[in-house]
Amino acid sequence: MESAKFKWMIKKDLLTLWRHKIQFASLILFPIVMIALCGWGMGGTVENTPVVIVKQTSGDITDQVINTIKSDETFDVIDIMSEPDEAKQMVDKGEIKAAIILSKNFEDNNTRNAVLYIDSSDQLTTQTLVPKTEQIFAMLSETISLNQVSAEPQGNALTQTAQAIKLQVNKIYGQIDYIDFLLPGVLAMTMFMSSMFSMGNAIAGERERGELARLFMTPTSISTVLSGKIVSNLIKEMMRAVILILSAVILFNVVINGNFLLLLLVMLLSALCFVGFGMMFSATSKTQEDYIQVVMPVAMPMMFVCGVFFPTETMPWILQKIAYFLPLTYANDAFRGVMLQGAGLEAIGIDLLVLLGFTILFFGVGVARFNRQI
């Protein structure tokens, strides 16, 4: 091996990287972003979970329960109300994760009951909130029993049992396994990532290979070319999504709780949005490699920020806010609403409208930039 030419080859490749500023910036920033998001997204804990407490009576025991729950970082008590039905409706609508309902006679030794009414479609949050709530009420029960024994020297085991707080856990969507929680997010992520690479090959790749230039030498309009590529990629993504769902149902007995036609609508709009996202970036990328270097720092972090594997509640607040500006967040929410909660069109309407807005934006920008290049 010739050492001088060997060094020249290394220098040539490094200079090429330096001249491609997009690739150089991606080389520096992408690893930093990924390790940060992996640590925050996959290593976080569930904290400040929004809940409400239903207080139907007053007394020292009630105040002690409320203060204990408020002091725990797992909970973020956003309201204390008196109507159980109103609290349950807030959970059903997804405004909060859980409602802790204290019984009407909570100060009565013989009827000291509580109900944890929780949205079990969020599997990780449920796994954290249920044992934490049980732990809090068990600790309070023991404290109350010890105080009662001290106040009544003749107290016995029967007296202590009477003081215990009986907690009932009501998981409104039943027992959700992790695969059930994971499938909607994986479905959205798979459609998103495959759309990225498909559009990169369909536009940036064909531009690099000269196929796009030869195509426009024929009497074919730009709108015809773009429409054909969009529809063909849309068909492929819908096929991929249906196969993924059927595989999960057959292999893991996953149950789709919502309307299948509504699920197809969510799939169609999500795929269209993601194809538009890929088109927006591929429209001006001169090579497929440039396209990948631009897209990957944007696309890959979305898996962690948008709650594909873990809920956004485990992340720093700034990432939770960023998630509201990413289309994958709304696709995840719509898929989980239909597949886990059996939600109807009115429940996921906001998600679909946001996805539609993103779709119009992506295609508008993509078409405008594409025309300038051709």
Side-chain angles (χ1 to χ4, degrees):
M1 184 171 61
E2 302 172 81
S3 59
K5 293 182 179 180
F6 175 70
K7 294 178 181 178
W8 178 84
M9 287 297 299
I10 296 175
K11 181 179 179 180
K12 189 268 293 183
D13 287 343
L14 293 178
L15 285 174
T16 301
L17 176 63
W18 174 252
R19 288 166 183 160
H20 287 76
K21 301 301 182 184
I22 293 177
Q23 294 185 25
F24 183 73
S26 177
L27 175 69
I28 301 300
L29 296 177
F30 186 56
I32 298 174
V33 172
M34 287 303 297
I35 193 62
L37 293 177
C38 282
W40 285 329
M42 303 181 68
T45 57
V46 176
E47 294 180 348
N48 301 318
T49 306
V51 301
V52 297
I53 299 176
V54 177
K55 173 186 174 182
Q56 303 183 78
T57 187
S58 299
D60 294 338
I61 304 300
T62 301
D63 293 340
Q64 186 177 0
V65 170
I66 293 175
N67 291 333
T68 303
I69 294 173
K70 281 185 172 182
S71 64
D72 194 295
E73 293 182 352
T74 305
F75 304 92
D76 177 17
V77 180
I78 64 173
D79 196 9
I80 297 176
M81 55 183 58
S82 58
E83 292 296 330
D85 291 339
E86 182 182 353
K88 291 179 180 179
Q89 287 178 5
M90 293 178 68
V91 179
D92 295 340
K93 292 178 181 179
E95 298 175 6
I96 55 175
K97 292 296 184 181
I100 301 173
I101 305 171
L102 308 181
S103 62
K104 292 182 178 180
N105 301 317
F106 196 72
E107 294 296 324
D108 188 337
N109 293 344
N110 297 319
T111 56
R112 190 170 288 133
N113 300 320
V115 175
L116 175 63
Y117 188 82
I118 188 167
D119 177 2
S120 57
S121 65
D122 191 336
Q123 198 252 4
L124 183 60
T125 301
T126 301
Q127 284 186 338
T128 302
L129 252 61
V130 171
K132 174 59 70 172
T133 307
E134 291 174 339
Q135 178 185 356
I136 287 176
F137 279 100
M139 178 190 68
L140 290 171
S141 296
E142 184 178 354
T143 301
I144 294 169
S145 298
L146 291 175
N147 291 340
Q148 181 67 21
V149 171
S150 301
E152 298 179 13
Q154 301 301 320
N156 51 32
L158 181 61
T159 303
Q160 295 182 39
T161 302
Q163 301 303 312
I165 303 173
K166 299 176 182 177
L167 177 66
Q168 175 186 342
V169 178
N170 188 348
K171 299 179 180 179
I172 61 176
Y173 300 114
Q175 182 64 38
I176 301 293
D177 295 327
Y178 186 59
I179 183 62
D180 297 305
F181 171 81
L182 190 62
L183 176 60
V186 169
L187 175 60
M189 181 194 69
T190 301
M191 295 176 68
F192 178 70
M193 296 301 293
S194 58
S195 296
M196 296 295 96
F197 290 108
S198 295
M199 290 307 295
N201 179 68
I203 297 180
E206 290 188 8
R207 177 183 285 118
E208 181 182 5
R209 295 189 295 269
E211 297 174 12
L212 205 59
R214 290 195 296 271
L215 183 61
F216 281 110
M217 293 175 67
T218 66
T220 306
S221 65
I222 292 177
S223 60
T224 301
V225 173
L226 291 182
S227 298
K229 292 185 178 299
I230 290 168
V231 173
S232 62
N233 278 279
L234 191 60
I235 292 172
K236 288 190 291 184
E237 296 314 314
M238 290 295 291
M239 291 175 58
R240 198 190 316 271
V242 171
I243 292 172
L244 192 152
I245 292 176
L246 292 177
S247 300
V249 171
I250 295 172
L251 297 177
F252 301 104
N253 298 318
V254 171
V255 177
I256 308 300
N257 294 315
N259 185 288
F260 191 74
L261 292 178
L262 182 58
L263 180 60
L264 287 177
L265 175 62
V266 176
M267 290 163 53
L268 179 63
L269 189 53
S270 298
L272 192 61
C273 179
F274 299 151
V275 168
F277 188 86
M279 176 187 166
M280 181 176 66
F281 283 99
S282 64
T284 54
S285 298
K286 296 181 179 179
T287 67
Q288 194 166 358
E289 184 178 3
D290 284 344
Y291 170 77
I292 292 175
Q293 295 296 332
V294 172
V295 165
M296 292 302 286
V298 178
M300 287 295 289
M302 283 195 193
M303 294 190 301
F304 305 101
V305 176
C306 298
V308 172
F309 301 106
F310 297 92
T312 55
E313 287 82 4
T314 64
M315 303 176 193
W317 70 270
I318 185 63
L319 294 184
Q320 296 182 34
K321 302 304 179 184
I322 291 175
Y324 288 114
F325 297 94
L326 302 175
L328 190 56
T329 298
Y330 300 94
N332 274 337
D333 192 59
F335 277 123
R336 288 201 170 107
V338 176
M339 298 174 71
L340 297 183
Q341 303 172 3
L345 182 60
E346 67 285 352
I348 62 171
I350 298 297
D351 294 318
L352 297 183
L353 287 175
V354 174
L355 285 173
L356 180 60
F358 274 120
T359 302
I360 295 172
L361 173 64
F362 295 153
F363 278 113
V365 174
V367 169
R369 297 177 68 186
F370 191 89
N371 284 334
R372 285 198 295 268
Q373 290 297 312
I374 301 299

